[in-house]
Structures are given as C-alpha cells and as structure tokens.
Amino acid sequence: MLKLYNSLARELQDFRPIEPGRVRMYVCGMTVYDYCHLGHARVMVVFDMVTRWLRASGYQVTYVRNITDIDDKIIKRAGENGESIRALTDRFIAFMHEDAAALGVLKPDAEPRATEYVPQMLGMIGDLEKNGYAYVAANRDVCYSVRKFAGYGKLSGKSLEDLRAGERVDVAAGKQDPLDFVLWKGAKEAEPDEAKWPSPWGTGRPGWHIECSAMSSQLLGRHFDIHGGGQDLQFPHHENEIAQSEGAHGSTFVNYWMHNGFVRVDDEKMSKSLGNFFTIREVLKQYDAEVVRFFILRAHYRSPLNYSDAHLDDAKHALTRLYTALKGFDGEAPVDWNEAHAQRFRAAMDNDFGTPEAVAVLFDLASEVNRTGDAQLAAQLKALGGVLGLLQRPAVEFLQAAPASGLANEAIDAMIVARAAAKKAKHFAEADRIRDELKAAGIVLEDGPGGTTWRRA
RNA sequence: GGCGCGAUGGCAGAGUGGUUAUGCAGCGGCCUGCAAAGCCGUCUACGUCGGUUCGAUUCCGGCUCGCGCCUCCA
C-alpha cells in the first residue's frame, strides 16, 4: 500500500484513488519566458518519478502538467525582446522540452497552455460570480473575495488574521480585502493585443491562479487525486486554486497535495528573484544529465537539496559505481518483484516515494552483482534502476561518455594497444608512462582478465 | 511579528524505541608487474537541556541555530 505525505492533512496517508486502478494527477509547470533552472528540473524529475512509480504499481495514470504562457513577466520580456508573446513562449517551451528529455523526464499525458483555455476560465469566473465569490473592483479587475470562502487557509495552515498581520504588500486599488486575488485583469492600454481577450467584464487577461483551476477540471474532472508542485506554490497559488475550484464547483477539488522541496545554493533557496539560479542547460555542459537526475533522486523529494559542484561530483562517482557493476552484462529482463531487493525497493518507494532508500537498495544489489557475477541480479539492477529512469544506457556508453573536449576514442584505443605491447615486453616504465599520460587526460584504465578497459574520470 | 519545516559520522543523505542504512572520502588487507576496478575488514554520528521508558538518535516539552512561506517564484 502506497503511503504519501499529504500537505493538506500534514501527515502520511494511505493512498486511495477516487477510481480504483486509476490516478489523475495535475502538476504546476513552468512560466515560459526564460530557461528552466535546477529548481524546475527538480519538479519535473520528481513528478516524473511519481508517475513512473504509480504506473509500476499498476495504476493507469493521467498526468497533466500545465504551461503558463501569459503573465506580466512574459508580456514584459516579449516587449523587451521586440518579439511576439507567441514567439517567446514557443521558443522557451521548446527549450523546456529539450531539458526535460535530457533528464529522462517522460512527457506528461497533457501539457495544456493557459492561452488555449481562456473560455473555460471565463466560464469559471462566471460561476464564481454567480456563487458570490467574485466581484468587480474599482479598477475593473475581477477579484476573488477570500473571506467568502470558509476553507480559505486550509492548505497553507494560515488563518486570514495571521496573514493580515504579516501584510507587506500595498493593497491593490479597489480590493475589498488585501488578500483578495485577481481572477481577471482589466486590459492596460500599453499592453499588446496578443495579451487581450474579450470577456463579460471587459477586455483583459486571466489572473495567474485561474488557469490551473480551469485546466485541471477540464482535463481531469472537478475532483481528482493528486495535485503537485514546488513548495513555494503552496501559498498563495494552491490555496487560491482550492478557493476557486471549490467555490465554483461546490465540491471537493483534490484529495492529495504533494509539494517538493527547494533546490538551494549555499543554504538559500535557488530562485529567480534571488538570482542565484543555475539553468539546466548550463549544468548539463558540465555534468551528464543522468548524473543530475540521480543527484535529484538521491535525496527525498520533500527535503531541501543543496546544489554545488562537489555534490554533483559525488553523485557522479556514485552513479559510476552502479554502472561499473553493470559493465559486461547486457541481459535485460523485467523486474522480478518477488526477489528480495525488489521487495525492499518497493517498500521504500511505497513509503512516500522514498527514493534515497530505493537507491540504497540499488547499491546493495550492485555489491551483490560484483561479488557473485550473477547475470540475473545484474538484469534486476538495471530493471529497478529503470523504474527510477536510471541505468538504461549501455554501461560502457555512460562510463566513456565524452565531455565537450577530450581525447577521441580512437586515440585512447591506440594508446592502450601500445601499452599492451610494452607490458608484454615487460617494459613497465613505458606502460606506466602511457597510463599516466591517459590519466592526465582524464582517462582511467582498468586491466581485467579480458583485457584493458577504460572510462572517463 | 504570524505560520511551518529541519538539526545524523569528514561530506552527502536515509531510517529506526534496543541489532550494518547507502554513496563519496580515509585507513588496513586481498587481487595486480605496479595501478585502477572489485572484494574483505575498519575509524568519524544522531544540536542542547529536561521528561516518558527497563532502554531514545528515534516519542513529548523547553532552548539554540538554520531554512521556508506570509510578494512574482518549481
């Protein structure tokens, strides 16, 4: 039985889908006006892992991850670049897909773009108005009246009073309550036509939160199983989603809320506003994408994850150990779930997606493979790694994966041949010289019974 | 100020009321021409003060420190 930590209840709960055998999950994706950074990588990898584990557990999963392609920052950036909003967002969606693919993230079942669901959002705002939750503010924005929604604060654990006490934002013109948020933003003269849609409340564009309420109910139904995203979305974004969806539909929105922890740099949250972020493609110039995925999965999804070169190097060495164990085995087989390691793996994953422990099982399995040379266990190792989206390449390909600049394979092979000749002639000084030369170039030699193999350090 | 999370060995990072996490790094040994890889063995732990208990790193409370949210942010 899968247990997961439900942010809404703030406790570990047994997972029971609404419909037996079927899971419907929605995750808040990216706002596409810039490259994805490591924080985005974490969300993508974490919920990819969740999807894979649910599927491995026999569920039929429908996974939706949205794309926010209209908001203040997008309008601003497109203006700065002198390009259309569509051109800007299309470009960064393509980059996002490249990054996701590199990290072994499978495509969600649907990736709705906000701009394609404006009619559904308007319908929902209409329902909210009808139900008494929405009002038109003095500045023509349509706002949500949080005090009308009895459950406001249930996800973030905040009360309206607490929130008001810490108020540090200027109250937008015309809001009845500082915490009210915008459902529909009235159009500004200076904004491009591309950012304007007609509506019963005048020309404008959607507020940020309404898209997720509209798209999730459209694609998954009004009531679905899991809603995920980064911890920073818990408040106000997800709190507002609940207020909108439950206010409009009058029924429960989501059963389980999952929030992944932040990626940090020097013990501080990596974020756009702090400017301390590394883009995925920046990191991938230096590290193999699978190392980055492994680095993310080696920590529990709710824990903070500190980024540094030293930690990535550590992850690389660790992953190298797993691939080294797999070297020389090319058999593949589906996971044998009756086998002892697989059972431990399952127990770890069923405990709130305990990937750190699941990865530890992989290492135990690797030791066993090294000790016994058992091909079946090697296949099991590869298959279990596959459940996490790891270890699927031929071992030699990973071990010899070439960095941007480095010695060509042919040159390495030639030097190994020369060294073998020197060794045969007992010219060990010459053999060692060649080995040292390769080592200086980042190539490590390993002499085995079947000859010499190499890998990149 | 309000709300919440966390503090584990040199580093990273799990977990558990009493028995080895795991990886990297270190040390000793085996293997090797010497190495590397691998194998065997091994050293560094559970912030602090109290409480509960036969027994607490694990449960409860105080304290200290760190982090997050309360503003766009995955």
mmCIF file of all heavy atoms in Angstrom, chain A residues 193-233:
data_model
loop_
_atom_site.group_PDB
_atom_site.id
_atom_site.type_symbol
_atom_site.label_atom_id
_atom_site.label_comp_id
_atom_site.label_asym_id
_atom_site.label_seq_id
_atom_site.Cartn_x
_atom_site.Cartn_y
_atom_site.Cartn_z
ATOM 1 N N ASP A 193 -2.054 43.583 -28.198
ATOM 2 C CA ASP A 193 -3.339 42.929 -28.484
ATOM 3 C C ASP A 193 -3.301 41.448 -28.141
ATOM 4 O O ASP A 193 -4.308 40.853 -27.757
ATOM 5 C CB ASP A 193 -3.689 43.083 -29.973
ATOM 6 C CG ASP A 193 -4.037 44.536 -30.289
ATOM 7 O OD1 ASP A 193 -4.235 45.308 -29.322
ATOM 8 O OD2 ASP A 193 -4.088 44.884 -31.476
ATOM 9 N N GLU A 194 -2.122 40.890 -28.309
ATOM 10 C CA GLU A 194 -1.930 39.466 -28.050
ATOM 11 C C GLU A 194 -2.253 39.096 -26.597
ATOM 12 O O GLU A 194 -2.457 37.926 -26.282
ATOM 13 C CB GLU A 194 -0.445 39.142 -28.283
ATOM 14 C CG GLU A 194 -0.197 38.010 -29.234
ATOM 15 C CD GLU A 194 1.296 37.683 -29.238
ATOM 16 O OE1 GLU A 194 2.117 38.586 -29.032
ATOM 17 O OE2 GLU A 194 1.604 36.509 -29.429
ATOM 18 N N ALA A 195 -2.222 40.095 -25.726
ATOM 19 C CA ALA A 195 -2.459 39.849 -24.305
ATOM 20 C C ALA A 195 -3.868 40.267 -23.902
ATOM 21 O O ALA A 195 -4.144 40.484 -22.730
ATOM 22 C CB ALA A 195 -1.414 40.592 -23.471
ATOM 23 N N LYS A 196 -4.751 40.402 -24.871
ATOM 24 C CA LYS A 196 -6.104 40.875 -24.560
ATOM 25 C C LYS A 196 -7.171 39.921 -25.092
ATOM 26 O O LYS A 196 -7.103 39.499 -26.247
ATOM 27 C CB LYS A 196 -6.317 42.262 -25.180
ATOM 28 C CG LYS A 196 -5.469 43.339 -24.529
ATOM 29 C CD LYS A 196 -5.566 44.652 -25.282
ATOM 30 C CE LYS A 196 -4.682 45.703 -24.625
ATOM 31 N NZ LYS A 196 -4.465 46.882 -25.478
ATOM 32 N N TRP A 197 -8.103 39.616 -24.218
ATOM 33 C CA TRP A 197 -9.218 38.767 -24.613
ATOM 34 C C TRP A 197 -10.512 39.475 -24.208
ATOM 35 O O TRP A 197 -10.550 40.136 -23.146
ATOM 36 C CB TRP A 197 -9.171 37.425 -23.880
ATOM 37 C CG TRP A 197 -8.152 36.460 -24.389
ATOM 38 C CD1 TRP A 197 -8.364 35.432 -25.258
ATOM 39 C CD2 TRP A 197 -6.761 36.401 -24.026
ATOM 40 N NE1 TRP A 197 -7.194 34.744 -25.475
ATOM 41 C CE2 TRP A 197 -6.191 35.311 -24.739
ATOM 42 C CE3 TRP A 197 -5.930 37.179 -23.200
ATOM 43 C CZ2 TRP A 197 -4.844 34.967 -24.630
ATOM 44 C CZ3 TRP A 197 -4.589 36.835 -23.090
ATOM 45 C CH2 TRP A 197 -4.062 35.740 -23.807
ATOM 46 N N PRO A 198 -11.543 39.335 -25.031
ATOM 47 C CA PRO A 198 -12.824 39.918 -24.639
ATOM 48 C C PRO A 198 -13.448 39.080 -23.516
ATOM 49 O O PRO A 198 -13.159 37.894 -23.407
ATOM 50 C CB PRO A 198 -13.674 39.799 -25.921
ATOM 51 C CG PRO A 198 -13.059 38.685 -26.688
ATOM 52 C CD PRO A 198 -11.590 38.658 -26.342
ATOM 53 N N SER A 199 -14.266 39.712 -22.693
ATOM 54 C CA SER A 199 -14.938 38.967 -21.626
ATOM 55 C C SER A 199 -16.158 39.767 -21.179
ATOM 56 O O SER A 199 -16.271 40.956 -21.490
ATOM 57 C CB SER A 199 -13.988 38.780 -20.439
ATOM 58 O OG SER A 199 -14.132 39.848 -19.513
ATOM 59 N N PRO A 200 -17.051 39.120 -20.441
ATOM 60 C CA PRO A 200 -18.231 39.836 -19.928
ATOM 61 C C PRO A 200 -17.837 40.978 -19.004
ATOM 62 O O PRO A 200 -18.639 41.851 -18.716
ATOM 63 C CB PRO A 200 -18.979 38.757 -19.150
ATOM 64 C CG PRO A 200 -18.497 37.455 -19.701
ATOM 65 C CD PRO A 200 -17.077 37.703 -20.115
ATOM 66 N N TRP A 201 -16.605 40.974 -18.504
ATOM 67 C CA TRP A 201 -16.159 42.015 -17.574
ATOM 68 C C TRP A 201 -15.235 43.025 -18.267
ATOM 69 O O TRP A 201 -14.518 43.768 -17.630
ATOM 70 C CB TRP A 201 -15.444 41.382 -16.385
ATOM 71 C CG TRP A 201 -16.327 40.385 -15.701
ATOM 72 C CD1 TRP A 201 -17.258 40.634 -14.747
ATOM 73 C CD2 TRP A 201 -16.386 38.979 -15.962
ATOM 74 N NE1 TRP A 201 -17.909 39.472 -14.397
ATOM 75 C CE2 TRP A 201 -17.398 38.450 -15.127
ATOM 76 C CE3 TRP A 201 -15.719 38.106 -16.835
ATOM 77 C CZ2 TRP A 201 -17.730 37.078 -15.133
ATOM 78 C CZ3 TRP A 201 -16.049 36.771 -16.836
ATOM 79 C CH2 TRP A 201 -17.042 36.270 -15.991
ATOM 80 N N GLY A 202 -15.218 42.950 -19.580
ATOM 81 C CA GLY A 202 -14.382 43.859 -20.357
ATOM 82 C C GLY A 202 -13.128 43.160 -20.846
ATOM 83 O O GLY A 202 -12.807 42.047 -20.417
ATOM 84 N N THR A 203 -12.432 43.821 -21.738
ATOM 85 C CA THR A 203 -11.211 43.251 -22.299
ATOM 86 C C THR A 203 -10.160 43.096 -21.207
ATOM 87 O O THR A 203 -10.013 43.970 -20.355
ATOM 88 C CB THR A 203 -10.666 44.189 -23.403
ATOM 89 O OG1 THR A 203 -11.699 44.368 -24.367
ATOM 90 C CG2 THR A 203 -9.453 43.583 -24.081
ATOM 91 N N GLY A 204 -9.462 41.976 -21.277
ATOM 92 C CA GLY A 204 -8.452 41.749 -20.243
ATOM 93 C C GLY A 204 -7.743 40.430 -20.453
ATOM 94 O O GLY A 204 -7.727 39.881 -21.568
ATOM 95 N N ARG A 205 -7.165 39.949 -19.373
ATOM 96 C CA ARG A 205 -6.478 38.649 -19.429
ATOM 97 C C ARG A 205 -6.618 37.968 -18.079
ATOM 98 O O ARG A 205 -6.907 38.604 -17.060
ATOM 99 C CB ARG A 205 -5.011 38.833 -19.804
ATOM 100 C CG ARG A 205 -4.218 39.679 -18.829
ATOM 101 C CD ARG A 205 -2.831 39.950 -19.395
ATOM 102 N NE ARG A 205 -2.189 41.074 -18.744
ATOM 103 C CZ ARG A 205 -1.347 40.966 -17.710
ATOM 104 N NH1 ARG A 205 -1.091 39.771 -17.204
ATOM 105 N NH2 ARG A 205 -0.803 42.032 -17.180
ATOM 106 N N PRO A 206 -6.417 36.646 -18.071
ATOM 107 C CA PRO A 206 -6.642 35.903 -16.828
ATOM 108 C C PRO A 206 -5.616 36.214 -15.746
ATOM 109 O O PRO A 206 -4.461 36.514 -16.039
ATOM 110 C CB PRO A 206 -6.529 34.440 -17.262
ATOM 111 C CG PRO A 206 -5.834 34.441 -18.574
ATOM 112 C CD PRO A 206 -6.108 35.757 -19.204
ATOM 113 N N GLY A 207 -6.039 36.120 -14.488
ATOM 114 C CA GLY A 207 -5.102 36.158 -13.370
ATOM 115 C C GLY A 207 -4.344 34.834 -13.378
ATOM 116 O O GLY A 207 -4.725 33.894 -14.075
ATOM 117 N N TRP A 208 -3.311 34.775 -12.578
ATOM 118 C CA TRP A 208 -2.449 33.595 -12.653
ATOM 119 C C TRP A 208 -3.140 32.310 -12.194
ATOM 120 O O TRP A 208 -3.047 31.256 -12.825
ATOM 121 C CB TRP A 208 -1.193 33.839 -11.817
ATOM 122 C CG TRP A 208 -0.296 32.651 -11.680
ATOM 123 C CD1 TRP A 208 -0.030 31.700 -12.640
ATOM 124 C CD2 TRP A 208 0.447 32.266 -10.533
ATOM 125 N NE1 TRP A 208 0.847 30.776 -12.162
ATOM 126 C CE2 TRP A 208 1.157 31.097 -10.861
ATOM 127 C CE3 TRP A 208 0.598 32.807 -9.253
ATOM 128 C CZ2 TRP A 208 2.003 30.455 -9.956
ATOM 129 C CZ3 TRP A 208 1.446 32.172 -8.360
ATOM 130 C CH2 TRP A 208 2.131 31.004 -8.713
ATOM 131 N N HIS A 209 -3.876 32.396 -11.085
ATOM 132 C CA HIS A 209 -4.354 31.165 -10.453
ATOM 133 C C HIS A 209 -5.470 30.455 -11.212
ATOM 134 O O HIS A 209 -5.586 29.242 -11.148
ATOM 135 C CB HIS A 209 -4.829 31.469 -9.031
ATOM 136 C CG HIS A 209 -3.875 32.324 -8.275
ATOM 137 N ND1 HIS A 209 -2.644 31.873 -7.857
ATOM 138 C CD2 HIS A 209 -3.944 33.626 -7.899
ATOM 139 C CE1 HIS A 209 -2.005 32.861 -7.229
ATOM 140 N NE2 HIS A 209 -2.770 33.936 -7.245
ATOM 141 N N ILE A 210 -6.276 31.226 -11.924
ATOM 142 C CA ILE A 210 -7.482 30.645 -12.521
ATOM 143 C C ILE A 210 -7.177 29.587 -13.586
ATOM 144 O O ILE A 210 -7.933 28.649 -13.781
ATOM 145 C CB ILE A 210 -8.394 31.772 -13.097
ATOM 146 C CG1 ILE A 210 -9.792 31.234 -13.420
ATOM 147 C CG2 ILE A 210 -7.784 32.416 -14.316
ATOM 148 C CD1 ILE A 210 -10.598 30.848 -12.203
ATOM 149 N N GLU A 211 -6.025 29.709 -14.240
ATOM 150 C CA GLU A 211 -5.732 28.753 -15.305
ATOM 151 C C GLU A 211 -5.676 27.317 -14.783
ATOM 152 O O GLU A 211 -6.165 26.396 -15.425
ATOM 153 C CB GLU A 211 -4.424 29.104 -16.018
ATOM 154 C CG GLU A 211 -3.205 29.058 -15.109
ATOM 155 C CD GLU A 211 -1.895 29.235 -15.881
ATOM 156 O OE1 GLU A 211 -1.392 28.224 -16.374
ATOM 157 O OE2 GLU A 211 -1.389 30.371 -15.993
ATOM 158 N N CYS A 212 -5.060 27.149 -13.624
ATOM 159 C CA CYS A 212 -4.900 25.790 -13.116
ATOM 160 C C CYS A 212 -6.240 25.186 -12.702
ATOM 161 O O CYS A 212 -6.490 24.005 -12.895
ATOM 162 C CB CYS A 212 -3.919 25.762 -11.950
ATOM 163 S SG CYS A 212 -2.213 26.039 -12.488
ATOM 164 N N SER A 213 -7.095 26.024 -12.126
ATOM 165 C CA SER A 213 -8.427 25.526 -11.763
ATOM 166 C C SER A 213 -9.205 25.130 -13.007
ATOM 167 O O SER A 213 -9.852 24.081 -13.046
ATOM 168 C CB SER A 213 -9.200 26.617 -11.009
ATOM 169 O OG SER A 213 -8.674 26.784 -9.707
ATOM 170 N N ALA A 214 -9.109 25.965 -14.020
ATOM 171 C CA ALA A 214 -9.889 25.702 -15.241
ATOM 172 C C ALA A 214 -9.349 24.497 -16.006
ATOM 173 O O ALA A 214 -10.106 23.625 -16.436
ATOM 174 C CB ALA A 214 -9.876 26.942 -16.142
ATOM 175 N N MET A 215 -8.044 24.445 -16.168
ATOM 176 C CA MET A 215 -7.472 23.367 -16.979
ATOM 177 C C MET A 215 -7.548 22.022 -16.284
ATOM 178 O O MET A 215 -7.770 20.995 -16.917
ATOM 179 C CB MET A 215 -6.030 23.711 -17.355
ATOM 180 C CG MET A 215 -5.972 24.943 -18.256
ATOM 181 S SD MET A 215 -4.349 25.250 -18.986
ATOM 182 C CE MET A 215 -3.430 25.802 -17.567
ATOM 183 N N SER A 216 -7.368 22.013 -14.967
ATOM 184 C CA SER A 216 -7.418 20.730 -14.273
ATOM 185 C C SER A 216 -8.820 20.139 -14.334
ATOM 186 O O SER A 216 -8.981 18.948 -14.602
ATOM 187 C CB SER A 216 -6.946 20.877 -12.821
ATOM 188 O OG SER A 216 -7.784 21.757 -12.099
ATOM 189 N N SER A 217 -9.839 20.968 -14.122
ATOM 190 C CA SER A 217 -11.194 20.408 -14.143
ATOM 191 C C SER A 217 -11.571 19.984 -15.557
ATOM 192 O O SER A 217 -12.259 18.993 -15.756
ATOM 193 C CB SER A 217 -12.214 21.414 -13.601
ATOM 194 O OG SER A 217 -12.299 22.539 -14.444
ATOM 195 N N GLN A 218 -11.056 20.723 -16.525
ATOM 196 C CA GLN A 218 -11.342 20.389 -17.915
ATOM 197 C C GLN A 218 -10.727 19.041 -18.306
ATOM 198 O O GLN A 218 -11.356 18.237 -18.977
ATOM 199 C CB GLN A 218 -10.760 21.495 -18.816
ATOM 200 C CG GLN A 218 -11.222 21.459 -20.227
ATOM 201 C CD GLN A 218 -12.713 21.744 -20.347
ATOM 202 O OE1 GLN A 218 -13.333 21.304 -21.305
ATOM 203 N NE2 GLN A 218 -13.292 22.452 -19.388
ATOM 204 N N LEU A 219 -9.490 18.820 -17.874
ATOM 205 C CA LEU A 219 -8.752 17.634 -18.326
ATOM 206 C C LEU A 219 -8.836 16.447 -17.380
ATOM 207 O O LEU A 219 -8.650 15.302 -17.784
ATOM 208 C CB LEU A 219 -7.286 17.994 -18.562
ATOM 209 C CG LEU A 219 -7.066 18.989 -19.715
ATOM 210 C CD1 LEU A 219 -5.690 19.640 -19.627
ATOM 211 C CD2 LEU A 219 -7.247 18.288 -21.051
ATOM 212 N N LEU A 220 -9.101 16.716 -16.094
ATOM 213 C CA LEU A 220 -9.096 15.620 -15.124
ATOM 214 C C LEU A 220 -10.430 15.483 -14.386
ATOM 215 O O LEU A 220 -10.624 14.531 -13.639
ATOM 216 C CB LEU A 220 -7.985 15.847 -14.090
ATOM 217 C CG LEU A 220 -6.551 15.813 -14.633
ATOM 218 C CD1 LEU A 220 -5.558 16.248 -13.557
ATOM 219 C CD2 LEU A 220 -6.186 14.422 -15.136
ATOM 220 N N GLY A 221 -11.286 16.444 -14.579
ATOM 221 C CA GLY A 221 -12.544 16.422 -13.828
ATOM 222 C C GLY A 221 -12.457 17.347 -12.632
ATOM 223 O O GLY A 221 -11.385 17.799 -12.253
ATOM 224 N N ARG A 222 -13.618 17.618 -12.053
ATOM 225 C CA ARG A 222 -13.663 18.580 -10.946
ATOM 226 C C ARG A 222 -13.005 18.066 -9.684
ATOM 227 O O ARG A 222 -12.605 18.825 -8.821
ATOM 228 C CB ARG A 222 -15.123 18.935 -10.658
ATOM 229 C CG ARG A 222 -15.756 19.674 -11.808
ATOM 230 C CD ARG A 222 -17.214 19.957 -11.556
ATOM 231 N NE ARG A 222 -17.699 20.933 -12.534
ATOM 232 C CZ ARG A 222 -18.833 21.612 -12.407
ATOM 233 N NH1 ARG A 222 -19.601 21.403 -11.349
ATOM 234 N NH2 ARG A 222 -19.196 22.471 -13.324
ATOM 235 N N HIS A 223 -12.952 16.758 -9.563
ATOM 236 C CA HIS A 223 -12.386 16.135 -8.365
ATOM 237 C C HIS A 223 -11.352 15.111 -8.816
ATOM 238 O O HIS A 223 -11.696 14.164 -9.521
ATOM 239 C CB HIS A 223 -13.520 15.454 -7.572
ATOM 240 C CG HIS A 223 -13.060 14.804 -6.299
ATOM 241 N ND1 HIS A 223 -13.762 13.789 -5.696
ATOM 242 C CD2 HIS A 223 -11.980 15.016 -5.519
ATOM 243 C CE1 HIS A 223 -13.131 13.412 -4.587
ATOM 244 N NE2 HIS A 223 -12.044 14.142 -4.467
ATOM 245 N N PHE A 224 -10.093 15.327 -8.474
ATOM 246 C CA PHE A 224 -9.082 14.348 -8.889
ATOM 247 C C PHE A 224 -8.142 14.022 -7.735
ATOM 248 O O PHE A 224 -8.284 14.547 -6.623
ATOM 249 C CB PHE A 224 -8.335 14.819 -10.144
ATOM 250 C CG PHE A 224 -7.689 16.177 -10.038
ATOM 251 C CD1 PHE A 224 -6.359 16.299 -9.678
ATOM 252 C CD2 PHE A 224 -8.423 17.338 -10.330
ATOM 253 C CE1 PHE A 224 -5.758 17.542 -9.602
ATOM 254 C CE2 PHE A 224 -7.823 18.587 -10.245
ATOM 255 C CZ PHE A 224 -6.491 18.693 -9.879
ATOM 256 N N ASP A 225 -7.179 13.132 -8.002
ATOM 257 C CA ASP A 225 -6.420 12.522 -6.912
ATOM 258 C C ASP A 225 -5.266 13.349 -6.352
ATOM 259 O O ASP A 225 -5.200 13.596 -5.152
ATOM 260 C CB ASP A 225 -5.874 11.161 -7.371
ATOM 261 C CG ASP A 225 -6.984 10.229 -7.782
ATOM 262 O OD1 ASP A 225 -7.749 9.814 -6.903
ATOM 263 O OD2 ASP A 225 -7.110 9.927 -8.990
ATOM 264 N N ILE A 226 -4.327 13.703 -7.235
ATOM 265 C CA ILE A 226 -3.093 14.325 -6.745
ATOM 266 C C ILE A 226 -2.845 15.646 -7.448
ATOM 267 O O ILE A 226 -3.013 15.751 -8.674
ATOM 268 C CB ILE A 226 -1.875 13.401 -7.005
ATOM 269 C CG1 ILE A 226 -2.051 12.063 -6.288
ATOM 270 C CG2 ILE A 226 -0.573 14.075 -6.550
ATOM 271 C CD1 ILE A 226 -0.963 11.038 -6.599
ATOM 272 N N HIS A 227 -2.471 16.632 -6.668
ATOM 273 C CA HIS A 227 -2.046 17.909 -7.241
ATOM 274 C C HIS A 227 -0.668 18.206 -6.673
ATOM 275 O O HIS A 227 -0.479 18.164 -5.466
ATOM 276 C CB HIS A 227 -3.028 19.017 -6.872
ATOM 277 C CG HIS A 227 -2.792 20.301 -7.617
ATOM 278 N ND1 HIS A 227 -3.786 20.990 -8.248
ATOM 279 C CD2 HIS A 227 -1.657 20.995 -7.862
ATOM 280 C CE1 HIS A 227 -3.283 22.077 -8.836
ATOM 281 N NE2 HIS A 227 -1.977 22.104 -8.605
ATOM 282 N N GLY A 228 0.291 18.489 -7.549
ATOM 283 C CA GLY A 228 1.655 18.702 -7.082
ATOM 284 C C GLY A 228 2.244 20.014 -7.549
ATOM 285 O O GLY A 228 1.649 20.740 -8.349
ATOM 286 N N GLY A 229 3.430 20.287 -7.036
ATOM 287 C CA GLY A 229 4.169 21.486 -7.419
ATOM 288 C C GLY A 229 5.239 21.796 -6.383
ATOM 289 O O GLY A 229 5.370 21.077 -5.395
ATOM 290 N N GLY A 230 5.981 22.832 -6.643
ATOM 291 C CA GLY A 230 7.029 23.240 -5.703
ATOM 292 C C GLY A 230 6.412 23.799 -4.435
ATOM 293 O O GLY A 230 5.283 24.282 -4.433
ATOM 294 N N GLN A 231 7.178 23.714 -3.363
ATOM 295 C CA GLN A 231 6.708 24.175 -2.060
ATOM 296 C C GLN A 231 6.258 25.642 -2.087
ATOM 297 O O GLN A 231 5.366 26.033 -1.352
ATOM 298 C CB GLN A 231 7.855 24.058 -1.062
ATOM 299 C CG GLN A 231 7.512 23.290 0.172
ATOM 300 C CD GLN A 231 8.763 22.826 0.885
ATOM 301 O OE1 GLN A 231 9.782 23.518 0.904
ATOM 302 N NE2 GLN A 231 8.697 21.649 1.456
ATOM 303 N N ASP A 232 6.923 26.424 -2.921
ATOM 304 C CA ASP A 232 6.596 27.856 -2.945
ATOM 305 C C ASP A 232 5.219 28.133 -3.538
ATOM 306 O O ASP A 232 4.715 29.247 -3.448
ATOM 307 C CB ASP A 232 7.673 28.663 -3.684
ATOM 308 C CG ASP A 232 8.114 28.016 -4.973
ATOM 309 O OD1 ASP A 232 7.568 26.960 -5.334
ATOM 310 O OD2 ASP A 232 9.000 28.578 -5.632
ATOM 311 N N LEU A 233 4.612 27.102 -4.136
ATOM 312 C CA LEU A 233 3.284 27.316 -4.720
ATOM 313 C C LEU A 233 2.171 27.030 -3.721
ATOM 314 O O LEU A 233 1.008 27.327 -3.971
ATOM 315 C CB LEU A 233 3.114 26.437 -5.956
ATOM 316 C CG LEU A 233 4.071 26.746 -7.111
ATOM 317 C CD1 LEU A 233 3.692 25.906 -8.325
ATOM 318 C CD2 LEU A 233 4.045 28.217 -7.463
#
